[in-house]
Amino acid sequence: MRQSDFCHGGVSVDFEYTAEQVQLRKAVREFAEAEIAPHVAEWDEGQIFPLDVIRKLGKLGYMGAIFPEELGGGGLGYIEYSIIIEELSRVDGSVGIIVAAHTSLCSNHIYKMGSDEQRRHYIPKLASGEWIGCWSLTEPEAGSDAAGTRTTAAMDNGEWVLNGAKTFTTNAHYADVCVAMAVTDRAAAQHGISAFVIEKDTPGFRAGKKENKLGLRASATGEVIFDGCRLKPCHLLGKLNEGFVDSLRVLDGGRISIAALSIGMAQGAYDAALHYSKLRKQFGRPISEFQAIQHKLVDMAVEIDAARLLNYRAASMLDRGLRVTKESSMAKLFASEAAVRIAGEAVQIHGGYGFIKDYPVEKFYRDVKLCTIGEGTSEIQRLVIARQLLKS
Ligand SMILES: Cc1cc2nc3c(=O)[nH]c(=O)nc-3n(C[C@H](O)[C@H](O)[C@H](O)COP(=O)(O)OP(=O)(O)OC[C@H]3O[C@@H](n4cnc5c(N)ncnc54)[C@H](O)[C@@H]3O)c2cc1C
């Protein structure tokens, strides 16, 4: 996928991966199969956060792929970033979401909206995996309606004082750095919310309850609590009162990573189902010879390709600095809903064995559901896309 060619409204479209992209996919797949696959079931069962793997991913340059090399990043684009998330998620969606929340939410918010000083302080540590990042927008009473944030930040003696609680924050319990949104001017509604960057040991800041989840159980999701948390003015991220608007821009890129997470898990489920269908014999022949099974495999393969193409279009546009609100929402909506269907069919192709934890499709079936919820539910994606369509 040459970024310059795969263009929205452009004259030419090149559907070939570059040699570097082929090599990148191969390298990440080999890493995932060697370092992640043997532990997936144990991590899932025990809800074990794969810290060692995250540190190794950092050393390989996969924790900051989209940031410039001078800041310690990989100097890559969103297509390459998607390839990394896809290949990790093809083996374990938990690793995929950990890297995605760290990179395109926390680190990217700092990179896009931060001062030069903030970028130089945080990005190299985050890109190397030395530090893990989390991003806290959602609150118990402010999910889809994220502008309903209740956490407050008020000035006192030249310092910001944060009070409130966030919920459902990915990486909350392992994060060295948190980007969080708080109300700084209640009367101004969504133009009265600001972003702050908070380091782990700051007094008054801590992770709260860790959720016991249906899926993606090796990733840690939970509360972030601010209890009189005092921050120097240099911890304001971006312009005062623009944190919510900036968050929406950050989510444009984040949704590409959730599409990639969906595609990766769908690919993993499809690969397992294809393999199983050739081995499993009923009525004296492999079940892959039954047309009903073939049609399932065909529909799965078509949906994976369609999801990938939608996502690479959004990725390519973002790399060229174009606004991708509609395209990234379309990619996330289609890829996540397709992935839920694909994981369901993968279980169906496995019959009773698909219901058993010895086979990987049971876990994909549980894990993939998050993709229609996180970073905006399917209903909210439709709302976002409808607004964009009605604008034209
Ligand atoms: C595993 C996991 C990881 C997450 N990671 C993060 C993270 O790192 N950082 C973060 O900030 N958040 C994170 N989230 C939160 C996630 O983004 C929210 O759960 C999501 O945005 C939905 O919010 P809600 O759960 O409050 O649901 P609600 O907003 O209460 O929605 C409930 C239902 O109502 C529907 N609905 C709501 N409003 C409308 C409307 N206007 N029109 C039509 N339907 C509507 C929704 O689509 C949904 O079906 C995570 C969530 C999970 C489960």
Side-chain angles (χ1 to χ4, degrees), residues 60-73:
L60 291 166
Y62 300 150
M63 295 298 281
I66 51 177
F67 307 114
E69 288 172 83
E70 59 267 26
L71 288 174

Side-chain angles (χ1 to χ4, degrees), residues 116-126 131 199:
D116 282 348
E117 205 183 340
Q118 287 170 329
R119 280 193 199 122
R120 279 198 303 272
H121 181 66
Y122 293 108
I123 299 296
K125 292 189 186 75
L126 288 162
W131 281 8
E199 293 181 25

Side-chain angles (χ1 to χ4, degrees), residues 102-170:
H102 166 94
T103 308
S104 43
L105 294 182
C106 175
S107 308
N108 199 41
H109 198 138
I110 297 171
Y111 176 66
K112 285 277 175 217
M113 315 303 170
S115 63
D116 282 348
E117 205 183 340
Q118 287 170 329
R119 280 193 199 122
R120 279 198 303 272
H121 181 66
Y122 293 108
I123 299 296
K125 292 189 186 75
L126 288 162
S128 68
E130 182 190 340
W131 281 8
I132 293 174
C134 71
W135 190 82
S136 291
L137 176 63
T138 307
E139 295 187 3
E141 304 301 327
S144 299
D145 182 14
T149 294
R150 294 186 177 183
T151 297
T152 55
M155 260 292 167
D156 176 58
N157 272 334
E159 289 184 333
W160 290 105
V161 185
L162 271 65
N163 280 294
K166 299 286 177 179
T167 190
F168 292 149
T169 294
T170 301

